[in-house]
Amino acid sequence: MHLTKLEHAALILELSGQKLYVDPGSFTTPLTDTAHAVGIVITHEHADHWTPEQIERILELSPDATIYGPAGVAAASTDHPVTVVAAGDTVEVGPFTLRFFGGKHAVIHSSIPVVDNVGVLVNDELYYAGDSFTIPEGVAVGTLAVPAGAPWLKISEVIDYVLAVKPRRSFPTHEMVLSRAGKSLSNARIQAATEQGGGEFFALEPNDSLDL
């Protein structure tokens, strides 16, 4: 399975000539080369994780791709149907098996509503929790997408999260809110926590790839 990290939270997974997109949002460069997509996972409704325009770019070349997301995403997506998923669900789309975890976005502030959010485990290898620190119980995570910067996190929580999951390898995501110096700081902390658990850290930048 071939992983490409795009800007912010967006990922592309490729296997057997087919693609799965995850969280293509407003901080991500407009998508191109979107043929052969079989699925789109949207972890929650915030615009930095999806926009109608990004979805349309995928569907223009892959009109049969299925969109998966929690109930909040289905309510927000007025132009495209969303297959609603929740914690405990497992779906098959093309060569990808998707298992979903969690249910709610991390708290940003008491004045801001907590929206639906799902984490996704792809082919029992890549785990991405969306905007949460949900740990997939009973799963030995091969590759963990780790949030590096956001209004809802502090670096101590990120470190504790990586130490708890103990992935074999990790890489940063959700980092477009950080400066270059901020990225480097977060990467160093994520790397240290990953290595403490016996894993390997990959400081992926937008458009970098990794074979899983």
Side-chain angles (χ1 to χ4, degrees):
M1 188 164 60
H2 188 70
L3 163 74
T4 300
K5 180 202 163 3
L6 304 180
E7 296 91 351
H8 202 54
L11 307 173
I12 306 173
L13 293 161
E14 298 178 72
L15 184 63
S16 301
Q18 297 181 301
K19 298 177 185 175
L20 175 73
Y21 283 84
V22 180
D23 280 3
S26 59
F27 293 169
T28 303
T29 299
L31 299 173
T32 60
D33 191 23
T34 58
H36 310 298
V38 292
I40 306 165
V41 174
I42 303 171
T43 61
H44 63 284
E45 64 199 73
H46 292 160
D48 59 323
H49 291 256
W50 83 287
T51 67
E53 294 80 9
Q54 294 283 44
I55 297 302
E56 287 163 8
R57 292 181 184 108
I58 298 171
L59 296 180
E60 182 178 3
L61 297 182
S62 298
D64 295 326
T66 303
I67 305 169
Y68 300 95
V73 170
S77 178
T78 56
D79 296 327
H80 305 292
V82 174
T83 298
V84 174
V85 290
D89 290 347
T90 299
V91 301
E92 306 277 347
V93 56
F96 303 102
T97 299
L98 312 178
R99 295 172 59 191
F100 295 94
F101 297 84
K104 291 297 180 181
H105 193 288
V107 174
I108 302 171
H109 186 263
S110 59
S111 64
I112 299 174
V114 176
V115 300
D116 294 332
N117 178 94
V118 290
V120 61
L121 178 68
V122 183
N123 287 1
D124 291 326
E125 171 60 33
L126 172 72
Y127 181 64
Y128 169 56
D131 279 10
S132 80
F133 292 117
T134 298
I135 296 171
E137 295 295 333
V139 175
V141 174
T143 304
L144 180 66
V146 183
W152 50 270
L153 66 76
K154 55 186 179 181
I155 198 64
S156 63
E157 296 172 316
V158 174
I159 293 169
D160 286 342
Y161 175 60
V162 175
L163 291 173
V165 175
K166 294 182 174 66
R168 292 194 303 274
R169 53 186 167 183
S170 70
F171 67 91
T173 187
H174 210 285
E175 84 294 5
M176 294 302 286
V177 296
L178 300 177
S179 66
R180 179 65 265 172
K183 285 185 181 184
S184 297
L185 186 152
S186 292
N187 283 354
R189 301 305 182 201
I190 296 169
Q191 179 175 358
T194 302
E195 291 177 351
Q196 185 174 331
E200 185 177 6
F201 176 73
F202 295 84
L204 299 186
E205 292 288 338
N207 298 309
D208 284 351
S209 295
L210 193 61
D211 287 319
L212 310 182

